[in-house]
Amino acid sequence: GKIGNQVAAYPFTVGHEFSATVVETGTDCRNLQPGDRVAVDPLVYCGTCEQCLQGRFNTCLNQKFLGCPGQMEGCLKEYIVMPDYTCYKLPESINQEDAAICEPLTIGCYAADKADNLENKSIAVLGAGPIGLSVLHTALLKKPRKVYMTDILDYRCRIAHTQGADWVGIRKKLTAFQRYPHRNLIFLMLFLSAVVNRKHWIWLSNWPSREVR
């Protein structure tokens, strides 16, 4: 697999999102103890760069992300060592299966929050994978008028429709946009102008353009 120009070459452990049970803690750890169930943030920041010193840990200049080649091995293993600040203790009401998707769900929450007021507005979500569906679910809580979604995989579009999308665009054939460097931007402009009334942007996934219906 790969993420952009980061290629996972064997042997490499993949995996971004997970929950876990604490087995052992370091001597300086004060907020956790063995037996605690935790959801884990896959972002590890340095704490010393300009961004970190201003409290913007998510834009750390030296950040490392679980499962990214050249940064950190992933979490698909029996044991893993993580900084205590990445671990969030779970309440009894959340099981560890649900906790594993907390991190991608927060991305959807953040996107919907940045979009501000969505009530009675038409919105477009490009990409119906786990992140796109997270955006869909959190956006629906804001009572939009219509939600339009697209993806290059048919089964993802079907899932998006069952999860509340009013319209889905399914891949039919390759388009001329693939031959141009800025095809995604061109396709986005055409899609929004042709389909969405009272456009209200929330999220853009980086996926190859396809014709939609």
Side-chain angles (χ1 to χ4, degrees), residues 55-183:
R56 295 194 288 267
F57 306 114
N58 62 310
T59 54
C60 169
L61 300 177
N62 305 301
Q63 64 178 251
K64 298 182 184 299
F65 205 82
L66 280 176
C68 286
Q71 298 183 35
M72 294 180 67
E73 292 268 335
C75 60
L76 295 183
K77 57 183 70 174
E78 189 172 358
Y79 295 99
I80 188 171
V81 178
M82 294 293 291
D84 58 358
Y85 64 77
T86 66
C87 301
Y88 296 83
K89 189 173 180 179
L90 297 174
E92 291 299 324
S93 58
I94 299 180
N95 62 47
Q96 289 189 242
E97 288 78 10
D98 291 342
I101 64 171
C102 281
E103 192 272 339
L105 183 60
T106 61
I107 299 174
C109 292
Y110 179 78
D113 182 65
K114 294 295 286 184
D116 199 20
N117 178 27
L118 300 179
E119 187 172 357
N120 202 35
K121 295 178 179 177
S122 295
I123 63 175
V125 182
L126 305 192
I131 302 302
L133 292 177
S134 295
V135 176
L136 170 65
H137 279 284
T138 52
L140 287 174
L141 296 175
K142 294 193 169 188
K143 301 179 180 179
R145 183 173 67 89
K146 293 285 184 180
V147 179
Y148 301 90
M149 294 190 71
T150 63
D151 201 281
I152 63 174
L153 299 175
D154 294 359
Y155 80 91
R156 286 186 172 184
C157 288
R158 289 194 295 269
I159 292 174
H161 184 67
T162 63
Q163 296 296 304
D166 298 287
W167 180 95
V168 294
I170 302 174
R171 177 186 63 183
K172 298 297 289 183
K173 63 181 180 180
L174 299 180
T175 72
F177 295 123
Q178 288 191 303
R179 296 196 295 268
Y180 296 93
H182 303 296
R183 59 187 181 275

Side-chain angles (χ1 to χ4, degrees), residues 2-47:
K2 65 179 182 178
I3 304 174
N5 61 0
Q6 301 176 56
V7 181
Y10 181 84
F12 182 80
T13 305
V14 297
H16 295 309
E17 301 86 7
F18 73 108
S19 62
T21 300
V22 176
V23 175
E24 185 178 346
T25 62
T27 56
D28 292 333
C29 179
R30 299 289 183 266
N31 58 322
L32 296 169
Q33 59 185 0
D36 286 344
R37 301 178 312 118
V38 294
V40 184
D41 184 348
L43 175 66
V44 176
Y45 55 82
C46 71

